[in-house]
Amino acid sequence: MSKIPLPHPVKGPLVAAWNEAHRLGWLARDYASAMACGRAERCSVCGEKRYMFYRRRVIPARLVELWGLTRRQAEALARKESCDCAGCGAKLRARRMAEVLLDLYPTDGRRAPDLRTWARSDEAGAMRIAEINRIDGIHETLENLARFHPSDYIPNAHPGAYVKGLRHEDLARLTYEDDRFDLVLTSETLEHVPDLARALDEVHRVLVPGGLHVFTAPVSPHFAETFPRARLRRDGSIEDLATPIRHPGGDVGYPVFTELGMDFPDWLAHAGFETETRFGPVRDDDLAQVYVSRKPTV
Ligand SMILES: [Zn+2]
C-alpha cells in the first residue's frame, strides 16, 4: 500500500483507515473466539461481566524460540499476557493482582467485590500506594486515589522528574524516602532492571514495616536458578552474558537483564521479605502467579 504514489493529504487518512480496519478485524476475531469458548466472567478490576479475550499471538514465535518455551508454557504465558477484559482491558495478571488486593485489604470488614468498588472506600483512600510502571486496568481504577503515586521508567529523564505529567522512577534508584508506602505494585518489571538485588532492596526501603509489595514476574519453570542475561556497562551500553531476549517480541521490546528461575523466592528472602505465592505453584500450564512480599515489622 505504501508503494502507491498518493498525494500527501490523501495518504495519511487512508493509512489511518487501513490501520483502524486492521484493528477492528482483530477485535472481531477476538470476540468470536471469546464467545465460542464462552469466556465471559465477572472482572475483578471493573466488576463488569465481560468477555475475556485469549490472544495466543501476544507471545510471538521468536520469543518462544529464544526462551525455549514448550507449547504448554507458551499458551500459559499467552493467557497471562492476554485474557483481557473487554470492559477495562485488564489482562489476566492484572485481574489476579486485583483479586489478591481484595483478599488482603477488606473494606468495612468485608472483601470488596471488585477493585473499582474497593477504590471508592475510605480504607483505599487512606493507603499510600506506589505503582512502579503502569499496570493497565489497575492504573485507571486507582489513579484518582489521593495517595496513589504512579510512575514509569522514562529513558534519560532525571530521577523523580515529571515528563509530560508522568513521574520517572528507576526501580533500582527510587527517589522516594524510606518507609513511604503501605503498598508497592509492579507487574513484569523486575526482569528488566539491570540490578535485581538492588531493585528488591529499594522496594524494601520505601515500604513501611508491615507494608506489602504485590507483583507479578516471569518466573521460568525450566530454570532452576536465577541468572543474568545482560548487564549494564559504566557507559550505559548493554553487555550480553547469555542469549539476549527482549519482551514481548523476542528481538523487539525491553531487554531482559535477569532470567528469574525457580529459586526466585530465595532472592526475595535475601532482600528481607516474607513472601507468599498466590495462584501458585509455578507450573507449565499456569505462569500467572502473584507474589505478596511483606516487609517484616521488626
Ligand atoms: Zn474489567
Side-chain angles (χ1 to χ4, degrees), residues 10 28 36 45 61 70 80 111 115 120 122 144 151-152 169 227 253 257 262 264 269 284 291:
V10 177
V45 173
T70 64
K80 176 184 186 179
R111 185 188 193 273
L115 203 65
R120 289 195 288 263
D122 292 342
N144 291 325
S151 65
D152 244 315
E169 287 292 342
F227 64 92
F257 282 92
M262 296 301 281
F264 178 56
D284 280 353
Y291 299 89

Side-chain angles (χ1 to χ4, degrees), residues 199-230:
L200 294 174
D201 287 346
E202 278 293 86
V203 174
H204 192 276
R205 181 182 68 75
V206 302
L207 279 171
V208 296
L212 301 180
H213 180 204
V214 175
F215 66 102
T216 69
V219 174
S220 307
H222 52 281
F223 295 124
E225 290 187 359
T226 296
F227 64 92
R229 281 202 180 275

Side-chain angles (χ1 to χ4, degrees), residues 106-136:
T107 60
D108 223 4
R110 282 185 312 201
R111 185 188 193 273
D114 54 76
L115 203 65
R116 189 175 285 175
T117 305
W118 182 83
R120 289 195 288 263
S121 69
D122 292 342
E123 288 92 336
M127 281 182 62
R128 295 158 296 178
I129 305 171
E131 177 200 43
I132 315 287
N133 289 0
R134 180 193 183 93
I135 307 166
D136 289 341

Side-chain angles (χ1 to χ4, degrees), residues 34-134:
M35 285 189 277
C37 301
R39 275 192 292 269
E41 57 184 83
R42 195 158 307 279
C43 173
S44 56
V45 173
C46 67
E48 306 286 333
K49 188 170 186 191
R50 292 300 184 109
Y51 283 109
M52 306 294 164
F53 298 138
Y54 171 68
R55 293 175 293 130
R56 174 63 186 80
R57 65 181 182 277
V58 298
I59 306 299
R62 181 64 176 150
L63 182 60
V64 171
E65 178 193 341
L66 286 172
W67 216 350
L69 300 173
T70 64
R71 184 176 166 179
R72 276 160 73 89
Q73 290 166 350
E75 288 173 358
L77 211 52
R79 283 193 292 278
K80 176 184 186 179
E81 294 297 330
S82 68
C83 292
D84 340 6
C85 167
C88 69
K91 299 173 182 177
L92 177 62
R93 61 177 154 97
R95 289 188 286 112
R96 283 190 168 181
M97 284 179 74
E99 286 186 42
V100 170
L101 293 174
L102 297 174
D103 288 344
L104 291 168
Y105 300 104
T107 60
D108 223 4
R110 282 185 312 201
R111 185 188 193 273
D114 54 76
L115 203 65
R116 189 175 285 175
T117 305
W118 182 83
R120 289 195 288 263
S121 69
D122 292 342
E123 288 92 336
M127 281 182 62
R128 295 158 296 178
I129 305 171
E131 177 200 43
I132 315 287
N133 289 0
R134 180 193 183 93

Side-chain angles (χ1 to χ4, degrees), residues 140-187:
E140 295 85 342
T141 307
L142 302 185
E143 67 178 340
N144 291 325
L145 290 176
R147 297 177 170 191
F148 181 66
H149 297 267
S151 65
D152 244 315
Y153 182 83
I154 305 170
N156 304 319
H158 194 267
Y162 283 83
V163 179
K164 295 179 181 170
L166 186 61
R167 181 174 177 135
H168 163 62
E169 287 292 342
D170 177 343
L171 195 52
R173 293 188 301 157
L174 295 173
T175 63
Y176 300 116
E177 63 266 38
D178 297 358
D179 301 346
R180 174 78 168 78
F181 295 107
D182 302 299
L183 173 64
V184 172
L185 301 172
T186 67
S187 188

